[in-house]
Short mmCIF file of all heavy atoms in Angstrom, two decimals:
data_model
loop_
_atom_site.label_atom_id
_atom_site.label_comp_id
_atom_site.label_asym_id
_atom_site.label_seq_id
_atom_site.Cartn_x
_atom_site.Cartn_y
_atom_site.Cartn_z
N MET A 30 90.28 -3.62 -4.36
CA MET A 30 90.74 -2.58 -5.28
C MET A 30 91.67 -3.21 -6.32
O MET A 30 92.57 -3.96 -5.98
CB MET A 30 91.47 -1.50 -4.49
CG MET A 30 91.91 -0.33 -5.35
SD MET A 30 92.44 1.07 -4.34
CE MET A 30 94.00 0.48 -3.70
N ALA A 31 91.46 -2.90 -7.57
CA ALA A 31 92.29 -3.47 -8.64
C ALA A 31 93.64 -2.78 -8.66
O ALA A 31 93.74 -1.56 -8.57
CB ALA A 31 91.60 -3.28 -9.98
N MET A 32 94.69 -3.59 -8.76
CA MET A 32 96.02 -3.03 -8.88
C MET A 32 96.34 -2.87 -10.36
O MET A 32 96.05 -3.73 -11.16
CB MET A 32 97.05 -3.94 -8.23
CG MET A 32 97.01 -3.84 -6.72
SD MET A 32 98.14 -4.93 -5.83
CE MET A 32 99.70 -4.65 -6.63
N SER A 33 96.92 -1.74 -10.70
CA SER A 33 97.30 -1.55 -12.10
C SER A 33 98.45 -2.48 -12.43
O SER A 33 99.17 -2.92 -11.54
CB SER A 33 97.69 -0.10 -12.35
OG SER A 33 99.04 0.09 -12.01
N PRO A 34 98.66 -2.77 -13.70
CA PRO A 34 99.76 -3.68 -14.08
C PRO A 34 101.13 -3.17 -13.69
O PRO A 34 102.06 -3.95 -13.57
CB PRO A 34 99.64 -3.76 -15.61
CG PRO A 34 98.28 -3.26 -15.93
CD PRO A 34 97.88 -2.33 -14.83
N THR A 35 101.24 -1.85 -13.49
CA THR A 35 102.56 -1.30 -13.16
C THR A 35 102.81 -1.25 -11.66
O THR A 35 103.90 -0.91 -11.24
CB THR A 35 102.70 0.13 -13.73
OG1 THR A 35 101.65 0.93 -13.20
CG2 THR A 35 102.67 0.14 -15.23
N ALA A 36 101.80 -1.57 -10.85
CA ALA A 36 101.98 -1.46 -9.40
C ALA A 36 102.98 -2.49 -8.91
O ALA A 36 102.96 -3.63 -9.31
CB ALA A 36 100.65 -1.64 -8.69
N LYS A 37 103.86 -2.05 -8.03
CA LYS A 37 104.77 -2.99 -7.38
C LYS A 37 105.05 -2.49 -5.98
O LYS A 37 104.74 -1.35 -5.64
CB LYS A 37 106.05 -3.17 -8.17
CG LYS A 37 106.85 -1.91 -8.40
CD LYS A 37 108.12 -2.23 -9.17
CE LYS A 37 108.96 -0.98 -9.39
NZ LYS A 37 110.26 -1.27 -10.01
N MET A 38 105.64 -3.36 -5.18
CA MET A 38 105.87 -3.04 -3.79
C MET A 38 107.31 -2.59 -3.57
O MET A 38 108.21 -2.98 -4.30
CB MET A 38 105.61 -4.27 -2.91
CG MET A 38 104.24 -4.89 -3.08
SD MET A 38 102.92 -3.75 -2.67
CE MET A 38 103.25 -3.54 -0.91
N ALA A 39 107.49 -1.78 -2.53
CA ALA A 39 108.84 -1.36 -2.15
C ALA A 39 108.87 -1.11 -0.66
O ALA A 39 107.83 -0.83 -0.05
CB ALA A 39 109.24 -0.09 -2.91
N LYS A 40 110.06 -1.21 -0.09
CA LYS A 40 110.24 -0.90 1.33
C LYS A 40 111.05 0.37 1.45
O LYS A 40 111.91 0.66 0.59
CB LYS A 40 110.99 -2.04 2.03
CG LYS A 40 110.14 -3.28 2.20
CD LYS A 40 110.87 -4.34 3.00
CE LYS A 40 110.02 -5.57 3.21
NZ LYS A 40 108.83 -5.30 4.04
N GLY A 41 110.78 1.12 2.51
CA GLY A 41 111.53 2.35 2.70
C GLY A 41 111.71 2.67 4.17
O GLY A 41 111.11 2.04 5.05
N THR A 42 112.56 3.66 4.40
CA THR A 42 112.76 4.19 5.75
C THR A 42 112.73 5.71 5.66
O THR A 42 113.02 6.28 4.60
CB THR A 42 114.12 3.75 6.33
OG1 THR A 42 115.16 4.17 5.44
CG2 THR A 42 114.19 2.24 6.51
N GLY A 43 112.36 6.34 6.76
CA GLY A 43 112.32 7.79 6.73
C GLY A 43 111.72 8.35 8.00
O GLY A 43 111.64 7.68 9.03
N LYS A 44 111.30 9.62 7.88
CA LYS A 44 110.76 10.34 9.04
C LYS A 44 109.43 10.98 8.63
O LYS A 44 109.32 11.53 7.53
CB LYS A 44 111.77 11.42 9.45
CG LYS A 44 111.43 12.18 10.71
CD LYS A 44 112.57 13.16 10.99
CE LYS A 44 112.41 13.84 12.33
NZ LYS A 44 113.55 14.73 12.59
N VAL A 45 108.47 10.89 9.53
CA VAL A 45 107.16 11.50 9.27
C VAL A 45 107.27 13.01 9.45
O VAL A 45 107.71 13.49 10.50
CB VAL A 45 106.09 10.94 10.24
CG1 VAL A 45 104.74 11.63 10.02
CG2 VAL A 45 105.96 9.42 10.08
N THR A 46 106.89 13.77 8.40
CA THR A 46 106.95 15.23 8.52
C THR A 46 105.57 15.87 8.57
O THR A 46 105.44 17.03 8.92
CB THR A 46 107.74 15.87 7.35
OG1 THR A 46 107.08 15.58 6.13
CG2 THR A 46 109.17 15.33 7.30
N ALA A 47 104.53 15.11 8.19
CA ALA A 47 103.17 15.61 8.29
C ALA A 47 102.19 14.45 8.21
O ALA A 47 102.48 13.44 7.56
CB ALA A 47 102.87 16.61 7.17
N VAL A 48 101.05 14.60 8.87
CA VAL A 48 99.95 13.65 8.70
C VAL A 48 98.69 14.47 8.47
O VAL A 48 98.48 15.50 9.11
CB VAL A 48 99.76 12.73 9.93
CG1 VAL A 48 100.91 11.75 10.05
CG2 VAL A 48 99.62 13.51 11.21
N ASP A 49 97.90 14.06 7.49
CA ASP A 49 96.70 14.81 7.13
C ASP A 49 95.53 13.83 7.00
O ASP A 49 95.37 13.17 5.98
CB ASP A 49 96.92 15.56 5.82
CG ASP A 49 95.78 16.53 5.51
OD1 ASP A 49 94.63 16.26 5.93
OD2 ASP A 49 96.04 17.55 4.84
N LYS A 50 94.76 13.72 8.08
CA LYS A 50 93.65 12.75 8.08
C LYS A 50 92.59 13.12 7.06
O LYS A 50 92.01 12.25 6.41
CB LYS A 50 93.03 12.67 9.47
CG LYS A 50 93.89 11.88 10.44
CD LYS A 50 93.27 11.86 11.83
CE LYS A 50 94.31 11.49 12.87
NZ LYS A 50 93.83 11.74 14.24
N SER A 51 92.31 14.41 6.87
CA SER A 51 91.26 14.79 5.92
C SER A 51 91.67 14.51 4.49
O SER A 51 90.85 14.12 3.66
CB SER A 51 90.85 16.24 6.12
OG SER A 51 91.95 17.10 5.97
N ALA A 52 92.96 14.69 4.18
CA ALA A 52 93.45 14.41 2.82
C ALA A 52 93.78 12.93 2.66
O ALA A 52 93.92 12.45 1.53
CB ALA A 52 94.68 15.25 2.52
N GLY A 53 93.93 12.21 3.77
CA GLY A 53 94.27 10.79 3.70
C GLY A 53 95.71 10.55 3.31
O GLY A 53 96.01 9.62 2.55
N THR A 54 96.61 11.39 3.83
CA THR A 54 98.02 11.26 3.45
C THR A 54 98.96 11.30 4.66
O THR A 54 98.66 11.90 5.68
CB THR A 54 98.45 12.38 2.49
OG1 THR A 54 98.26 13.65 3.12
CG2 THR A 54 97.68 12.33 1.19
N ILE A 55 100.10 10.65 4.46
CA ILE A 55 101.24 10.75 5.37
C ILE A 55 102.39 11.32 4.53
O ILE A 55 102.68 10.80 3.45
CB ILE A 55 101.67 9.38 5.91
CG1 ILE A 55 100.53 8.72 6.70
CG2 ILE A 55 102.93 9.50 6.79
CD1 ILE A 55 100.82 7.27 7.12
N THR A 56 103.03 12.38 5.02
CA THR A 56 104.18 12.93 4.31
C THR A 56 105.45 12.42 4.97
O THR A 56 105.59 12.50 6.20
CB THR A 56 104.15 14.47 4.31
OG1 THR A 56 102.91 14.89 3.73
CG2 THR A 56 105.30 15.04 3.49
N LEU A 57 106.33 11.87 4.14
CA LEU A 57 107.56 11.24 4.64
C LEU A 57 108.78 11.88 4.01
O LEU A 57 108.82 12.08 2.79
CB LEU A 57 107.55 9.74 4.30
CG LEU A 57 106.46 8.91 4.98
CD1 LEU A 57 106.33 7.56 4.30
CD2 LEU A 57 106.78 8.73 6.46
N ASP A 58 109.77 12.19 4.84
CA ASP A 58 111.10 12.57 4.37
C ASP A 58 111.84 11.24 4.28
O ASP A 58 112.36 10.75 5.28
CB ASP A 58 111.72 13.52 5.39
CG ASP A 58 113.12 13.97 4.99
OD1 ASP A 58 113.61 13.54 3.92
OD2 ASP A 58 113.72 14.74 5.76
N HIS A 59 111.83 10.64 3.08
CA HIS A 59 112.31 9.26 2.98
C HIS A 59 113.72 9.15 2.41
O HIS A 59 114.18 10.02 1.67
CB HIS A 59 111.31 8.40 2.18
CG HIS A 59 111.22 8.71 0.72
ND1 HIS A 59 112.22 8.40 -0.17
CD2 HIS A 59 110.24 9.29 -0.02
CE1 HIS A 59 111.84 8.77 -1.39
NE2 HIS A 59 110.65 9.34 -1.33
N ASP A 60 114.38 8.06 2.78
CA ASP A 60 115.69 7.73 2.24
C ASP A 60 115.50 7.24 0.80
O ASP A 60 114.38 6.97 0.38
CB ASP A 60 116.34 6.66 3.12
CG ASP A 60 116.56 7.16 4.54
OD1 ASP A 60 116.92 8.35 4.70
OD2 ASP A 60 116.36 6.38 5.49
N PRO A 61 116.59 7.11 0.04
CA PRO A 61 116.45 6.60 -1.33
C PRO A 61 115.72 5.26 -1.36
O PRO A 61 115.91 4.42 -0.48
CB PRO A 61 117.90 6.44 -1.79
CG PRO A 61 118.67 7.43 -0.97
CD PRO A 61 117.99 7.43 0.38
N ILE A 62 114.88 5.07 -2.39
CA ILE A 62 114.13 3.82 -2.57
C ILE A 62 114.52 3.25 -3.93
O ILE A 62 114.08 3.74 -4.98
CB ILE A 62 112.61 4.06 -2.47
CG1 ILE A 62 112.25 4.64 -1.09
CG2 ILE A 62 111.85 2.74 -2.72
CD1 ILE A 62 110.79 4.99 -0.91
N ALA A 63 115.37 2.23 -3.90
CA ALA A 63 115.93 1.69 -5.13
C ALA A 63 114.84 1.15 -6.06
O ALA A 63 114.91 1.35 -7.28
CB ALA A 63 116.93 0.59 -4.80
N GLU A 64 113.84 0.46 -5.50
CA GLU A 64 112.80 -0.15 -6.34
C GLU A 64 112.07 0.88 -7.17
O GLU A 64 111.56 0.58 -8.26
CB GLU A 64 111.78 -0.91 -5.47
CG GLU A 64 112.34 -2.14 -4.78
CD GLU A 64 112.80 -1.85 -3.36
OE1 GLU A 64 113.25 -0.71 -3.09
OE2 GLU A 64 112.72 -2.77 -2.53
N ALA A 65 111.98 2.11 -6.65
CA ALA A 65 111.28 3.17 -7.37
C ALA A 65 112.24 4.09 -8.11
O ALA A 65 111.80 5.03 -8.78
CB ALA A 65 110.44 3.99 -6.38
N LYS A 66 113.55 3.83 -7.96
CA LYS A 66 114.57 4.70 -8.53
C LYS A 66 114.40 6.14 -8.02
O LYS A 66 114.57 7.11 -8.76
CB LYS A 66 114.54 4.68 -10.07
CG LYS A 66 114.82 3.30 -10.65
CD LYS A 66 114.91 3.38 -12.17
CE LYS A 66 115.40 2.08 -12.79
NZ LYS A 66 114.46 0.96 -12.60
N TRP A 67 114.03 6.26 -6.75
CA TRP A 67 113.85 7.58 -6.14
C TRP A 67 115.06 7.93 -5.29
O TRP A 67 115.53 7.09 -4.51
CB TRP A 67 112.63 7.58 -5.21
CG TRP A 67 111.31 7.63 -5.90
CD1 TRP A 67 111.05 7.97 -7.19
CD2 TRP A 67 110.05 7.31 -5.32
NE1 TRP A 67 109.72 7.90 -7.44
CE2 TRP A 67 109.07 7.49 -6.31
CE3 TRP A 67 109.66 6.91 -4.04
CZ2 TRP A 67 107.72 7.28 -6.07
CZ3 TRP A 67 108.32 6.69 -3.80
CH2 TRP A 67 107.35 6.88 -4.80
N PRO A 68 115.53 9.16 -5.40
CA PRO A 68 116.51 9.65 -4.43
C PRO A 68 115.78 9.97 -3.12
O PRO A 68 114.55 9.86 -3.05
CB PRO A 68 117.03 10.93 -5.08
CG PRO A 68 115.87 11.43 -5.87
CD PRO A 68 115.13 10.20 -6.35
N ALA A 69 116.52 10.38 -2.12
CA ALA A 69 115.89 10.84 -0.89
C ALA A 69 115.05 12.08 -1.21
O ALA A 69 115.46 12.91 -2.01
CB ALA A 69 116.95 11.17 0.15
N MET A 70 113.87 12.16 -0.63
CA MET A 70 113.00 13.32 -0.87
C MET A 70 111.89 13.34 0.17
O MET A 70 111.70 12.39 0.92
CB MET A 70 112.39 13.26 -2.27
CG MET A 70 111.40 12.14 -2.46
SD MET A 70 110.60 12.14 -4.09
CE MET A 70 111.62 10.94 -4.95
N THR A 71 111.16 14.44 0.17
CA THR A 71 109.99 14.55 1.03
C THR A 71 108.76 14.54 0.14
O THR A 71 108.69 15.30 -0.82
CB THR A 71 110.03 15.85 1.86
OG1 THR A 71 111.21 15.86 2.64
CG2 THR A 71 108.81 15.96 2.76
N MET A 72 107.83 13.64 0.41
CA MET A 72 106.64 13.54 -0.43
C MET A 72 105.48 12.97 0.37
O MET A 72 105.67 12.30 1.38
CB MET A 72 106.91 12.66 -1.65
CG MET A 72 107.25 11.22 -1.31
SD MET A 72 107.77 10.26 -2.75
CE MET A 72 106.21 10.09 -3.61
N ALA A 73 104.28 13.23 -0.13
CA ALA A 73 103.07 12.73 0.53
C ALA A 73 102.64 11.41 -0.11
O ALA A 73 102.72 11.24 -1.33
CB ALA A 73 101.95 13.75 0.39
N PHE A 74 102.22 10.49 0.72
CA PHE A 74 101.70 9.20 0.27
C PHE A 74 100.27 9.05 0.76
O PHE A 74 99.95 9.45 1.88
CB PHE A 74 102.51 8.05 0.90
CG PHE A 74 103.93 7.95 0.42
CD1 PHE A 74 104.94 8.61 1.11
CD2 PHE A 74 104.26 7.19 -0.68
CE1 PHE A 74 106.27 8.52 0.68
CE2 PHE A 74 105.59 7.08 -1.11
CZ PHE A 74 106.59 7.74 -0.43
N LYS A 75 99.44 8.42 -0.07
CA LYS A 75 98.12 8.03 0.40
C LYS A 75 98.28 6.95 1.47
O LYS A 75 99.24 6.17 1.43
CB LYS A 75 97.28 7.46 -0.74
CG LYS A 75 96.79 8.49 -1.73
CD LYS A 75 95.85 7.88 -2.74
CE LYS A 75 96.61 6.96 -3.70
NZ LYS A 75 95.76 6.37 -4.73
N ALA A 76 97.33 6.89 2.40
CA ALA A 76 97.36 5.84 3.42
C ALA A 76 95.97 5.68 4.01
O ALA A 76 95.18 6.63 4.05
CB ALA A 76 98.36 6.17 4.51
N GLU A 77 95.68 4.47 4.49
CA GLU A 77 94.41 4.21 5.17
C GLU A 77 94.40 4.98 6.50
O GLU A 77 95.45 5.17 7.13
CB GLU A 77 94.26 2.71 5.46
CG GLU A 77 94.07 1.86 4.22
CD GLU A 77 92.75 2.15 3.50
OE1 GLU A 77 91.76 2.46 4.18
OE2 GLU A 77 92.74 2.08 2.26
N PRO A 78 93.19 5.39 6.96
CA PRO A 78 93.09 6.16 8.21
C PRO A 78 93.77 5.47 9.40
O PRO A 78 94.40 6.13 10.22
CB PRO A 78 91.58 6.27 8.44
CG PRO A 78 90.99 6.19 7.05
CD PRO A 78 91.89 5.25 6.28
N SER A 79 93.67 4.14 9.48
CA SER A 79 94.27 3.45 10.63
C SER A 79 95.79 3.59 10.62
O SER A 79 96.42 3.66 11.68
CB SER A 79 93.88 1.97 10.62
OG SER A 79 94.35 1.34 9.44
N LEU A 80 96.38 3.66 9.44
CA LEU A 80 97.84 3.85 9.35
C LEU A 80 98.20 5.29 9.69
O LEU A 80 99.18 5.56 10.38
CB LEU A 80 98.34 3.51 7.94
CG LEU A 80 98.23 2.04 7.53
CD1 LEU A 80 98.71 1.86 6.09
CD2 LEU A 80 99.03 1.14 8.46
N ILE A 81 97.37 6.23 9.20
CA ILE A 81 97.63 7.64 9.48
C ILE A 81 97.59 7.90 10.98
O ILE A 81 98.41 8.63 11.53
CB ILE A 81 96.61 8.53 8.75
CG1 ILE A 81 96.80 8.40 7.23
CG2 ILE A 81 96.76 10.00 9.17
CD1 ILE A 81 95.71 9.06 6.40
N GLU A 82 96.65 7.22 11.67
CA GLU A 82 96.51 7.43 13.11
C GLU A 82 97.61 6.74 13.91
O GLU A 82 97.77 7.00 15.10
CB GLU A 82 95.13 6.94 13.57
CG GLU A 82 94.04 7.92 13.18
CD GLU A 82 92.64 7.35 13.33
OE1 GLU A 82 92.50 6.28 13.96
OE2 GLU A 82 91.71 7.97 12.80
N SER A 83 98.35 5.84 13.26
CA SER A 83 99.36 5.07 14.00
C SER A 83 100.71 5.77 14.09
O SER A 83 101.61 5.28 14.77
CB SER A 83 99.54 3.68 13.35
OG SER A 83 100.23 3.79 12.11
N VAL A 84 100.85 6.91 13.42
CA VAL A 84 102.14 7.63 13.46
C VAL A 84 101.91 9.10 13.77
O VAL A 84 100.79 9.61 13.64
CB VAL A 84 102.91 7.50 12.12
CG1 VAL A 84 103.33 6.06 11.87
CG2 VAL A 84 102.08 8.04 10.96
N LYS A 85 102.99 9.77 14.15
CA LYS A 85 102.90 11.21 14.38
C LYS A 85 104.16 11.89 13.84
O LYS A 85 105.17 11.23 13.58
CB LYS A 85 102.70 11.51 15.87
CG LYS A 85 103.82 11.07 16.76
CD LYS A 85 103.49 11.39 18.21
CE LYS A 85 104.68 11.27 19.15
NZ LYS A 85 105.39 10.00 19.06
N VAL A 86 104.05 13.20 13.66
CA VAL A 86 105.17 13.97 13.12
C VAL A 86 106.41 13.76 14.00
O VAL A 86 106.33 13.82 15.22
CB VAL A 86 104.80 15.47 13.06
CG1 VAL A 86 106.02 16.32 12.69
CG2 VAL A 86 103.69 15.69 12.04
N GLY A 87 107.53 13.49 13.35
CA GLY A 87 108.79 13.28 14.05
C GLY A 87 109.16 11.82 14.21
O GLY A 87 110.31 11.52 14.53
N ASP A 88 108.20 10.90 13.99
CA ASP A 88 108.50 9.47 14.11
C ASP A 88 109.48 9.04 13.02
O ASP A 88 109.33 9.39 11.85
CB ASP A 88 107.23 8.63 13.95
CG ASP A 88 106.33 8.66 15.17
OD1 ASP A 88 106.76 9.19 16.22
OD2 ASP A 88 105.20 8.14 15.07
N GLU A 89 110.49 8.26 13.41
CA GLU A 89 111.38 7.59 12.46
C GLU A 89 110.72 6.25 12.16
O GLU A 89 110.42 5.48 13.08
CB GLU A 89 112.76 7.36 13.09
CG GLU A 89 113.45 8.63 13.52
CD GLU A 89 114.25 9.29 12.40
OE1 GLU A 89 114.38 8.67 11.32
OE2 GLU A 89 114.71 10.41 12.61
N VAL A 90 110.51 5.96 10.88
CA VAL A 90 109.69 4.79 10.53
C VAL A 90 110.32 3.91 9.45
O VAL A 90 111.12 4.36 8.63
CB VAL A 90 108.29 5.24 10.04
CG1 VAL A 90 107.48 5.87 11.17
CG2 VAL A 90 108.38 6.21 8.86
N ASN A 91 109.89 2.65 9.47
CA ASN A 91 110.06 1.72 8.36
C ASN A 91 108.68 1.61 7.72
O ASN A 91 107.67 1.58 8.43
CB ASN A 91 110.48 0.33 8.85
CG ASN A 91 111.83 0.36 9.53
OD1 ASN A 91 112.80 0.83 8.97
ND2 ASN A 91 111.88 -0.14 10.75
N PHE A 92 108.64 1.56 6.39
CA PHE A 92 107.33 1.48 5.75
C PHE A 92 107.38 0.65 4.48
O PHE A 92 108.44 0.46 3.88
CB PHE A 92 106.78 2.90 5.45
CG PHE A 92 107.66 3.73 4.56
CD1 PHE A 92 107.52 3.70 3.18
CD2 PHE A 92 108.64 4.55 5.10
CE1 PHE A 92 108.33 4.45 2.35
CE2 PHE A 92 109.48 5.32 4.27
CZ PHE A 92 109.32 5.26 2.90
N ASP A 93 106.21 0.15 4.10
CA ASP A 93 106.03 -0.56 2.82
C ASP A 93 105.11 0.30 1.97
O ASP A 93 104.10 0.83 2.47
CB ASP A 93 105.34 -1.91 3.02
CG ASP A 93 106.24 -2.91 3.74
OD1 ASP A 93 107.42 -2.60 3.96
OD2 ASP A 93 105.74 -4.00 4.07
N ILE A 94 105.44 0.44 0.70
CA ILE A 94 104.57 1.19 -0.20
C ILE A 94 104.23 0.36 -1.44
O ILE A 94 105.00 -0.51 -1.84
CB ILE A 94 105.20 2.53 -0.66
CG1 ILE A 94 106.60 2.34 -1.22
CG2 ILE A 94 105.18 3.53 0.46
CD1 ILE A 94 107.18 3.60 -1.82
N LYS A 95 103.07 0.67 -1.97
CA LYS A 95 102.67 0.12 -3.26
C LYS A 95 102.91 1.24 -4.26
O LYS A 95 102.35 2.33 -4.16
CB LYS A 95 101.18 -0.26 -3.22
CG LYS A 95 100.70 -0.93 -4.49
CD LYS A 95 99.28 -1.41 -4.32
CE LYS A 95 98.31 -0.22 -4.36
NZ LYS A 95 96.91 -0.65 -4.14
N LEU A 96 103.79 0.96 -5.23
CA LEU A 96 104.16 1.97 -6.22
C LEU A 96 103.26 1.89 -7.42
O LEU A 96 102.90 0.81 -7.88
CB LEU A 96 105.58 1.72 -6.70
CG LEU A 96 106.69 1.91 -5.67
CD1 LEU A 96 107.98 1.32 -6.20
CD2 LEU A 96 106.85 3.38 -5.36
N ASP A 97 102.89 3.06 -7.95
CA ASP A 97 102.13 3.11 -9.19
C ASP A 97 102.62 4.34 -9.94
O ASP A 97 102.18 5.46 -9.67
CB ASP A 97 100.64 3.18 -8.88
CG ASP A 97 99.80 2.97 -10.14
OD1 ASP A 97 100.37 2.83 -11.23
OD2 ASP A 97 98.57 2.98 -10.01
N GLY A 98 103.53 4.15 -10.85
CA GLY A 98 104.14 5.29 -11.52
C GLY A 98 104.92 6.11 -10.51
O GLY A 98 105.71 5.57 -9.76
N ASN A 99 104.66 7.41 -10.47
CA ASN A 99 105.37 8.27 -9.54
C ASN A 99 104.62 8.47 -8.23
O ASN A 99 105.03 9.25 -7.40
CB ASN A 99 105.65 9.64 -10.18
CG ASN A 99 106.79 9.56 -11.17
OD1 ASN A 99 107.77 8.85 -10.95
ND2 ASN A 99 106.67 10.28 -12.27
N ALA A 100 103.50 7.75 -8.07
CA ALA A 100 102.74 7.86 -6.83
C ALA A 100 102.96 6.61 -6.00
O ALA A 100 103.38 5.57 -6.50
CB ALA A 100 101.26 8.03 -7.13
N GLY A 101 102.67 6.73 -4.73
CA GLY A 101 102.81 5.58 -3.85
C GLY A 101 101.77 5.63 -2.76
O GLY A 101 101.34 6.70 -2.36
N GLU A 102 101.35 4.43 -2.31
CA GLU A 102 100.45 4.35 -1.17
C GLU A 102 101.15 3.56 -0.08
O GLU A 102 101.66 2.46 -0.34
CB GLU A 102 99.14 3.65 -1.56
CG GLU A 102 98.21 3.51 -0.35
CD GLU A 102 96.85 2.94 -0.71
OE1 GLU A 102 96.55 2.79 -1.91
OE2 GLU A 102 96.09 2.67 0.23
N VAL A 103 101.14 4.11 1.13
CA VAL A 103 101.70 3.39 2.27
C VAL A 103 100.72 2.27 2.64
O VAL A 103 99.54 2.54 2.88
CB VAL A 103 101.92 4.33 3.47
CG1 VAL A 103 102.34 3.53 4.70
CG2 VAL A 103 102.99 5.36 3.14
N VAL A 104 101.22 1.04 2.67
CA VAL A 104 100.35 -0.09 3.02
C VAL A 104 100.75 -0.69 4.37
O VAL A 104 100.03 -1.53 4.92
CB VAL A 104 100.35 -1.18 1.93
CG1 VAL A 104 99.70 -0.63 0.65
CG2 VAL A 104 101.74 -1.69 1.64
N ALA A 105 101.89 -0.27 4.90
CA ALA A 105 102.31 -0.67 6.25
C ALA A 105 103.33 0.35 6.73
O ALA A 105 104.11 0.89 5.94
CB ALA A 105 102.94 -2.06 6.23
N ILE A 106 103.27 0.66 8.03
CA ILE A 106 104.22 1.63 8.58
C ILE A 106 104.41 1.33 10.06
O ILE A 106 103.44 0.98 10.75
CB ILE A 106 103.75 3.09 8.33
CG1 ILE A 106 104.85 4.10 8.65
CG2 ILE A 106 102.47 3.39 9.08
CD1 ILE A 106 104.59 5.50 8.09
N ALA A 107 105.64 1.40 10.52
CA ALA A 107 105.92 1.13 11.94
C ALA A 107 107.10 1.96 12.39
O ALA A 107 108.05 2.19 11.63
CB ALA A 107 106.23 -0.35 12.15
N LYS A 108 107.03 2.41 13.63
CA LYS A 108 108.14 3.15 14.21
C LYS A 108 109.35 2.26 14.31
O LYS A 108 109.24 1.07 14.59
CB LYS A 108 107.77 3.64 15.62
CG LYS A 108 107.16 5.01 15.64
CD LYS A 108 107.27 5.62 17.02
CE LYS A 108 105.90 5.76 17.64
NZ LYS A 108 105.95 6.53 18.90
N LYS A 109 110.54 2.85 14.06
CA LYS A 109 111.80 2.09 14.19
C LYS A 109 112.03 1.76 15.66
O LYS A 109 111.69 2.55 16.53
CB LYS A 109 112.97 2.93 13.70
CG LYS A 109 113.08 2.96 12.18
CD LYS A 109 114.37 3.70 11.81
CE LYS A 109 114.42 3.96 10.33
NZ LYS A 109 115.55 4.83 9.98
CU1 LIG B 210 109.72 10.08 -2.88
#
């Protein structure tokens, strides 16, 4: 998959508040992410099915995201 010129990586921490396998998303109540200039918020991220299946609602997690504008894709996620 081609990465856009604006895509960059960031690390974050937070809590899983929803997982949606059909939509292909993980919703995270995340702490501030300096690389994205984001305050703490709850938002949905795209993620591969194997990552979506690796977490459940309520998990406290560390994650890596690929940023593209105001959207992000989770590329790695692990329980704290
Ligand atoms: Cu956010």
Side-chain angles (χ1 to χ4, degrees):
M30 184 168 72
M32 284 178 50
S33 84
T35 57
K37 59 179 181 174
M38 305 299 295
K40 288 185 178 295
T42 56
K44 185 178 188 178
V45 177
T46 62
V48 290
D49 189 330
K50 284 178 199 168
S51 57
T54 60
I55 299 172
T56 303
L57 295 165
D58 179 0
H59 70 71
D60 298 322
I62 300 177
E64 293 94 329
K66 299 186 171 65
W67 284 344
M70 68 176 97
T71 301
M72 63 187 288
F74 293 91
K75 287 186 289 182
E77 292 294 327
S79 61
L80 293 177
I81 295 171
E82 284 167 13
S83 72
V84 294
K85 63 181 192 308
V86 172
D88 285 351
E89 300 274 352
V90 293
N91 297 307
F92 59 90
D93 290 354
I94 52 174
K95 185 174 74 183
L96 294 167
D97 191 357
N99 284 323
E102 178 175 352
V103 173
V104 294
I106 191 165
K108 269 200 247 189
K109 281 186 189 172

